[in-house]
């Protein structure tokens, strides 16, 4: 399997959800992982999809937060 990393600026004490889909219509999102920055400052968060799709298959990612 291939691996893919996604990074973003994570604010302190905010819970994030990283999701993916292989559907070009951008529906049927599935949770890859959750992430919370427990530190006092904004950091660059990185999560890995260690089961990334082969080059012949598109995989779309998004990061959302849960207030």
């Amino acid at each position: 399997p291939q691996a893919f990393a996604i990074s973003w600026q994570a604010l302190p004490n905010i819970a994030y959800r990283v999701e993916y889909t292989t559907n070009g219509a951008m529906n049927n999102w599935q949770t890859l992982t959750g992430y919370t920055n427990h530190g006092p400052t904004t950091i660059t968060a990185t999560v890995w999809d260690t089961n990334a799709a082969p080059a012949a298959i598109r995989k779309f990612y998004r990061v959302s937060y849960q207030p």
Side-chain angles (χ1 to χ4, degrees), residues 43-62:
I43 63 167
T44 300
T46 301
V47 298
W48 287 85
D49 182 351
T50 56
N51 205 16
I57 300 173
R58 291 184 182 180
K59 202 167 186 182
F60 303 91
Y61 297 86
R62 70 181 179 186

Side-chain angles (χ1 to χ4, degrees), residues 25-47:
M26 301 293 180
N27 55 18
N28 195 30
W29 290 95
Q30 298 179 41
T31 299
L32 176 64
T33 191
Y35 179 87
T36 301
N37 172 12
H38 294 288
T41 60
T42 300
I43 63 167
T44 300
T46 301
V47 298

